[in-house]
Amino acid sequence: MRIKRDNYLQQLIAYRFDGLVKVITGIRRCGKSYLLKNIYKDYLISDGVKESNIIVIELDLAKDIKYRNPLILSSYVREKVENSKEEYYLFVDEIQMSDKVPNPYNSDGKKITFYDALNDLRSLTNLDIYVSGSNSMMLSSDVLTEFRGRSDEIRVHPLSFSEYYSAVGGEKNAAFDEYSFYGGMPLVLSRPNKTAKMNYLKSLLSEVYIKDIVERKGIERQDILEQVLDLLCSSLGSLTNPSKIANTLKSQWREAVSANTIRAYIGHLEDAFLFSESKRYDVKGKAYFDSPNKYYCEDIGLRNARIGFRQQEITHIMENIIYNELIIRQFSVDVGIVYSRTVNKNGNSVRTAREIDFVVNSGDKRTYIQSAYAMSTAEKKETELKPFTLTGDFFPKIVVGKDVGKRWYDDCGILHINVIDFLLDRELI
């Protein structure tokens, strides 16, 4: 099944021959290699590039195993490209399998790595370099740190709903229900039945992501890491912090774990692109809070698999999907906090914090978004709409719901839109 990834293809085209190494990052199995070796390669050929001028090195295959030595890789590419007047493209896949080798001129010196090889090849003005990989080494900031100022990052995510729907078609609500359950990992679409889909997602978590983190970070308490993962999966859209999670572990599992350890484990999950943190932002005070914050899963299907496809709270699932969509569109996303005065049971006026689900920023542009699956009562409408009146500005405001028919604006200028229409309209914000 051919799935369009036009957003990432356009990024690759924009970065073409800009003199920098293109580093394709993202959670494992989200389609990085396919994007590079199939979609982008086909585009280049259709644009007149000779296939023989596209050098594809697949370090996970036996045919290219010798190129795990970065010196041999560099020598091979230089031999093909250096004395030619034609333009060449280098695709190195599974870059994490590259070896560190001794410096042939100084055996006691720092070992040679693929960073050295690629930095050397950057000097060839007729060569455009792209690298991707599929373990936590490539999922972390390590590669971008090494290539600081000399690389472009193309961050690839699991399928957005629009990409998913372009592949499956059919009735939109049915497609959204499936997407909300199984998520957007590309290979899920090719699994033959429900059981196969669920088993695939479960195996990704246990056999790929968790093992990657444990091996790379030297985790001694995998059980604690998995408990932290479970708690984050169970608290989508809820405020939490390391201290709260540590207290939960102590009360529920009798595990005394420090908040610093929990903080490190959450960092590992973020580093592997399994979760993203959304910080709380005081809209009027223009300042961030240290904690608590919210965490969203990179793919809702992975989250559902981790909790055994139970806890199907569609309100939190929809909120996570909207968050992911905003990140895919490359916005900066915070949790907005505004304040109102209310009267407590003693008749005293108190300052009360109210929440805006998403403060969406891009440059000097801002949009406020509430995720409201349904606003069936006056109380629910008050909860969702009141914070918009407290921002003190005139930036656009949107309520995304599942029970909205045709999009419409209320008397306060707030746009009400169905979640499916929101996910399919990339020009809305």
Side-chain angles (χ1 to χ4, degrees):
M1 178 183 294
R2 184 88 176 200
I3 302 173
K4 293 182 178 180
R5 313 293 312 258
D6 291 344
N7 176 38
Y8 307 113
L9 175 60
Q10 292 306 316
Q11 290 182 58
L12 288 169
I13 293 171
Y15 290 141
R16 185 176 174 184
F17 263 102
D18 66 354
L20 303 180
V21 176
K22 269 63 71 173
V23 181
I24 302 173
T25 64
I27 191 171
R28 288 193 69 173
R29 310 292 170 83
C30 70
K32 301 185 298 297
S33 297
Y34 187 84
L35 169 68
L36 189 60
K37 295 186 296 183
N38 295 82
I39 297 175
Y40 189 50
K41 181 180 179 182
D42 288 350
Y43 165 79
L44 291 176
I45 292 172
S46 70
D47 197 47
V49 177
K50 293 188 293 187
E51 187 169 2
S52 59
N53 284 20
I54 303 174
I55 305 168
V56 179
I57 305 293
E58 299 171 289
L59 297 183
D60 60 326
L61 301 184
K63 71 179 183 66
D64 288 337
I65 197 169
K66 62 184 176 182
Y67 300 121
R68 292 183 184 179
N69 182 319
L71 294 175
I72 295 177
L73 170 64
S74 178
S75 176
Y76 167 71
V77 175
R78 272 194 171 276
E79 185 177 335
K80 290 179 69 71
V81 174
E82 193 167 23
N83 296 317
S84 174
K85 295 183 179 180
E86 296 183 348
E87 291 185 339
Y88 285 80
Y89 297 80
L90 173 63
F91 297 169
V92 184
D93 194 28
E94 306 295 352
I95 192 68
Q96 77 284 344
M97 301 191 77
S98 178
D99 296 323
K100 294 180 180 180
V101 299
N103 185 331
Y105 305 103
N106 181 7
S107 58
D108 296 326
K110 185 178 179 181
K111 288 189 173 182
I112 306 297
T113 70
F114 75 87
Y115 303 113
D116 301 302
L118 296 183
N119 277 324
D120 171 62
L121 293 173
R122 282 181 61 247
S123 64
L124 299 172
T125 58
N126 62 331
L127 179 67
D128 201 16
I129 304 172
Y130 302 76
V131 300
S132 65
S134 61
N135 80 355
S136 56
M137 177 181 174
M138 282 297 300
L139 303 184
S140 73
S141 59
D142 290 358
V143 174
L144 297 177
T145 298
E146 289 289 338
F147 286 125
R148 184 176 291 122
R150 294 164 290 178
S151 67
D152 297 309
E153 180 186 15
I154 294 90
R155 169 73 186 277
V156 180
H157 299 268
L159 302 177
S160 67
F161 178 70
S162 62
E163 291 172 328
Y164 177 89
Y165 184 68
S166 72
V168 302
E171 203 275 320
K172 291 179 181 178
N173 282 291
F176 180 77
D177 290 344
E178 288 282 301
Y179 183 78
S180 300
F181 194 79
Y182 296 112
M185 298 303 290
L187 280 179
V188 167
L189 275 67
S190 64
R191 300 301 89 186
N193 53 55
K194 294 180 178 180
T195 301
K197 293 176 190 292
M198 291 189 285
N199 288 340
Y200 172 69
L201 291 169
K202 290 177 181 177
S203 69
L204 277 182
L205 280 163
S206 61
E207 300 302 317
V208 178
Y209 305 130
I210 292 174
K211 283 188 176 180
D212 264 357
I213 295 171
V214 170
E215 291 175 5
R216 182 169 186 269
K217 300 295 184 179
I219 302 295
E220 296 181 358
R221 292 296 304 273
Q222 180 175 331
D223 57 330
I224 299 297
L225 174 68
E226 295 197 40
Q227 287 171 9
V228 172
L229 174 60
D230 291 340
L231 288 170
L232 291 180
C233 286
S234 299
S235 61
L236 293 183
S238 299
L239 295 171
T240 191
N241 58 31
S243 295
K244 184 177 180 180
I245 292 175
N247 291 336
T248 300
L249 292 178
K250 186 175 181 179
S251 63
Q252 293 186 3
W253 288 284
R254 301 293 189 269
E255 287 283 358
V257 185
S258 72
N260 285 337
T261 298
I262 299 300
R263 186 175 292 107
Y265 283 5
I266 292 174
H268 300 334
L269 294 171
E270 291 183 275
D271 193 42
F273 294 156
L274 273 170
F275 280 88
S276 296
E277 180 187 47
S278 187
K279 293 183 175 295
R280 290 193 306 153
Y281 177 74
D282 184 338
V283 173
K284 283 192 170 182
K286 304 185 186 317
Y288 285 95
F289 297 89
D290 290 334
S291 67
N293 296 308
K294 292 187 178 183
Y295 293 89
Y296 294 99
C297 194
E298 174 76 355
D299 179 74
I300 202 64
L302 292 173
R303 177 265 181 186
N304 292 339
R306 184 62 196 180
I307 60 174
F309 294 93
R310 300 183 298 273
Q311 287 183 249
Q312 294 301 304
E313 314 96 329
I314 189 59
T315 54
H316 296 313
I317 288 174
M318 191 179 86
E319 183 178 329
N320 200 135
I321 290 172
I322 293 171
Y323 174 85
N324 287 346
E325 178 67 26
L326 294 169
I327 295 300
I328 289 170
R329 297 184 192 185
Q330 298 183 292
F331 293 117
S332 172
V333 185
D334 301 314
V335 179
I337 300 297
V338 290
Y339 294 94
S340 65
R341 305 299 301 188
T342 59
V343 178
N344 63 17
K345 62 181 180 180
N346 297 321
N348 298 320
S349 177
V350 295
R351 190 169 182 249
T352 303
R354 292 177 176 266
E355 186 177 289
I356 298 173
D357 289 328
F358 304 121
V359 180
V360 184
N361 295 299
S362 178
D364 60 351
K365 296 181 179 180
R366 173 177 293 178
T367 303
Y368 300 110
I369 296 177
Q370 292 286 40
S371 171
Y373 184 79
M375 293 195 298
S376 55
T377 66
E379 182 181 4
K380 180 64 174 175
K381 290 180 181 178
E382 162 76 10
T383 300
E384 300 295 347
L385 299 180
K386 180 65 175 178
F388 285 158
T389 69
L390 302 170
T391 62
D393 58 44
F394 298 97
F395 289 115
K397 300 170 178 66
I398 302 174
V399 175
V400 182
K402 189 64 170 64
D403 61 345
V404 180
K406 185 177 180 180
R407 65 180 71 182
W408 62 283
Y409 288 89
D410 64 23
D411 292 341
C412 296
I414 299 170
L415 172 62
H416 296 248
I417 186 172
N418 185 276
V419 61
I420 294 174
D421 292 338
F422 175 84
L423 295 173
L424 294 178
D425 187 352
R426 290 188 60 86
E427 304 302 320
L428 183 64
I429 303 176

